[in-house]
Amino acid sequence: MISLVSEAGPDAGDDLPGTLPDALRAELIAFRRDLHMHPELGNQEFRTTAAIKARLEKAGLKPRVLPGGTGLICDIGEWDGVTPMLAMRADIDALPIPDAKVGVAYRSTVPDRAHACGHDVHTTVVLGAGLVLAELDRRGQLPRAVRLLFQPAEEVLPGGAADAIKAGVLKGVGRMIAVHCDPKVDAGRIGLRVGPITSACDRLEIALDGPGGHTARPHLTTDLVTAVAKVATEVPAVISRRVDARSGLSVTWGRIESGHACNVIPMHAELSGTVRCLDLDTWREAPDLIHAAVADIADLHGAKSQINYIRGVPPVVNDGTVVELLVNAMAARLGPYSIEDTEQSLGGEDFSWYLEHVPGAMARLGVRTPGDTVKRDLHRGDFDVDESAITVGVELFTAAALMDAKG
């Protein structure tokens, strides 16, 4: 059997095991490409779950599929029932957008489905870390049990994390870590910060109604198009004056629909968008604030309003001690200059739900090829990664597990 763990080399820290041999590195790249070719949406990740389960079982492990039939957890080492475990979380779902890449053999084979957010990389990193740690455990070099969590439906508000928590995935967990691909950071580096690293993200749907009428006589009815336009422009402005500007509360619209003819004032209008917030306390107040602002503006124009405020996720708030663990782990692998400060993103992430229960931290995993000047972003059909980032993520996690066990 080919060993899954290389002997610690000169760049691996103070004799810290857990680096990747070439054979496993190549296997993980192939595994990631297979996932990339077969993306599955949230709560539909049956093939993905089966592939992860099969590889963990091949390594002699005992993964447990989550109650919904997708996603799984797997413990490396024997939990003693007392000592808190470090958990490593990966999200496994894809996005409902077409893969627009050209010239790569691993382009998505599923129409209008793509791993355009890097979840295939996150999954491969946690799988690889699990395989390496399992080998260390067989050698008697893993001092403390570690839990792998492969979570479905991160892209489905309010996120699959809530269901995973209900299923008991945090039982025995003391701390939690994760990575998220960042196309603005070079491969070989990670970005970290203490405190909020992502934004809260909710969904907002508004319907306005009025009696309708002729555009020649708007004074005899409710000018619903003007009303919906005022809601679209004035709700964000009003909200910005009702909260501390440092909270970063913002409302951004993605859809407005109303009317069918140029000379008919419609009876119904709809608009929908997202609510994002950098501050946890303000996020908790946001629904009441937005309900009041919409009602005030709609009433002013004589329109009846209905609001469907859909809770999404709170901000991911990185714990300082867990950030320190990741800093030390990365420094041990690639040196202190492999770590950079990162800004808080307005993107949402359901990893935040776990951190309502246990301390944890998410690192931004650099996936940009050094020297690449093309600007890339997440949730785009042309998204791709420098696959050397997989090795970085695996070795970061294995180092973190070993350092966490040493206390």
Side-chain angles (χ1 to χ4, degrees), residues 182-253:
D182 191 335
K184 300 185 295 298
V185 177
D186 284 351
R189 299 175 63 83
I190 63 169
L192 280 168
R193 65 179 282 127
V194 175
I197 192 171
T198 68
S199 166
C201 180
D202 299 333
R203 193 164 76 237
L204 180 61
E205 298 173 350
I206 300 172
L208 299 181
D209 291 286
H214 200 295
T215 56
R217 292 175 287 277
H219 59 290
L220 298 180
T221 185
T222 296
D223 187 350
L224 208 61
V225 172
T226 296
V228 74
K230 290 294 186 178
V231 169
T233 56
E234 293 183 14
V235 165
V238 167
I239 288 298
S240 72
R241 293 300 181 266
R242 294 185 179 178
V243 298
D244 189 327
R246 293 170 296 182
S247 70
L249 180 62
S250 67
V251 178
T252 305
W253 309 108

Side-chain angles (χ1 to χ4, degrees), residues 10 55 74 77 87 89 134 148 159 210 221 226 231 234 242 248 275 282 292 328 368-369 371 398 407:
R55 185 60 184 93
C74 183
R89 175 269 201 170
L148 314 180
T221 185
T226 296
V231 169
E234 293 183 14
R242 294 185 179 178
V275 180
T282 304
N328 292 336
R368 178 179 63 192
T369 300
T398 57

Side-chain angles (χ1 to χ4, degrees), residues 71-82:
L72 64 157
I73 62 172
C74 183
D75 291 349
I76 313 296
E78 193 72 30
W79 182 45
D80 61 11
V82 178

Side-chain angles (χ1 to χ4, degrees), residues 228-301:
V228 74
K230 290 294 186 178
V231 169
T233 56
E234 293 183 14
V235 165
V238 167
I239 288 298
S240 72
R241 293 300 181 266
R242 294 185 179 178
V243 298
D244 189 327
R246 293 170 296 182
S247 70
L249 180 62
S250 67
V251 178
T252 305
W253 309 108
R255 183 181 71 92
I256 298 180
E257 291 186 16
S258 185
H260 301 284
C262 67
N263 62 344
V264 177
I265 294 174
M267 301 173 65
H268 184 74
E270 295 180 358
L271 66 165
S272 58
T274 59
V275 180
R276 298 181 188 272
C277 186
L278 303 177
D279 176 71
L280 187 59
D281 290 335
T282 304
W283 174 73
R284 291 179 174 135
E285 300 172 5
D288 290 340
L289 292 169
I290 289 171
H291 271 82
V294 171
D296 288 348
I297 295 165
D299 289 347
L300 183 64
H301 293 274

